[in-house]
Amino acid sequence: MSRNDSAEGDDGSLLSDDLDGMFEFPWLRGILAGVAAWVVGYVLFAVLFYLGPASIDAPSQSSRLTQIGHLFYNAQFVDRIVTAPGGIVIAGGRRTNFLLEASVTELPLAVYFAVPIVALVAAGVLFGALSLDPSPDFLESGLTGFAMALGYVVVAVAGTFLFVVTAAEGQVTAAPDRLQAAAFAFAYPFVLGTLGSLVGSLYDRE
């Protein structure tokens, strides 16, 4: 029965179809698509610095990866927050977005900000093409964005505990803002995953 037919039937039939669609939705694959989008986005972002033309100075590989992580969060409008005792002066302030505050960058700023967007849209398109019916369905696309957001936000928040810089014998720490990370890491995949899955669902696999 189509959605139009159900709308002409009993008052609860359309709601029943929607509930059935929610239960039948491949939630696990959607959540994993969100996780994959974050990982792929970070890897692509790191490629900009390891293969060029972007560059970053770091004393070790772990420090380099951490700094790249901070910039990856900055590319999603998540600030880096420095936590330190009140008497310690922090050069540049305690809240920083290096990309927005940079006067000169090796690549246009749009390139850095585009990386997570491209990763999320591509993940949505693939999910829509491989997991959804070959026709646009706003409910399924919305569920895709929500499922991807669940996976993406878990990894993004976990990353705020992983990408931490410490100094002054542990008195000073720098890490992505966790509240901003949770907010933007939900909003980004919800919007972009939904749009991507709409496009992907148009692919006819027959």
Side-chain angles (χ1 to χ4, degrees):
M1 178 182 291
S2 69
R3 290 182 178 272
N4 290 332
D5 292 338
S6 63
E8 297 173 358
D10 296 335
D11 292 339
S13 58
L14 181 57
L15 177 60
S16 177
D17 287 347
D18 288 343
L19 289 175
D20 289 343
M22 291 179 64
F23 286 119
E24 295 172 359
F25 183 81
W27 287 101
L28 180 58
R29 277 180 283 173
I31 291 170
L32 291 177
V35 172
W38 195 97
V39 174
V40 170
Y42 174 74
V43 170
L44 292 176
F45 203 86
V47 166
L48 298 179
F49 293 88
Y50 276 93
L51 300 183
S55 62
I56 192 169
D57 294 326
S60 65
Q61 289 300 324
S62 62
S63 178
R64 181 188 297 271
L65 291 172
T66 298
Q67 292 185 50
I68 291 172
H70 288 181
L71 292 172
F72 182 58
Y73 281 93
N74 286 170
Q76 297 170 82
F77 300 98
V78 176
D79 296 336
R80 188 191 75 161
I81 295 241
V82 177
T83 303
I88 298 180
V89 177
I90 306 298
R94 300 193 177 216
R95 179 179 290 273
T96 309
N97 187 313
F98 295 106
L99 293 178
L100 293 178
E101 297 170 14
S103 56
V104 178
T105 57
E106 290 90 345
L107 291 168
L109 280 177
V111 174
Y112 299 101
F113 287 100
V115 170
I117 293 174
V118 170
L120 281 165
V121 171
V125 170
L126 287 174
F127 182 86
L130 298 176
S131 301
L132 301 183
D133 291 334
S135 61
D137 186 309
F138 292 104
L139 174 63
E140 285 191 332
S141 296
L143 293 177
T144 298
F146 184 75
M148 287 180 60
L150 293 178
Y152 199 88
V153 75
V154 168
V155 182
V157 172
T160 65
F161 293 92
L162 178 63
F163 297 121
V164 178
V165 176
T166 59
E169 298 181 350
Q171 295 186 69
V172 179
T173 61
D177 185 320
R178 292 191 180 105
L179 289 177
Q180 285 186 342
F184 284 104
F186 186 88
Y188 258 64
F190 182 73
V191 174
L192 299 172
T194 297
L195 293 176
S197 66
L198 273 174
V199 174
S201 66
L202 296 174
Y203 175 68
D204 190 349
R205 293 175 289 280
E206 294 182 359

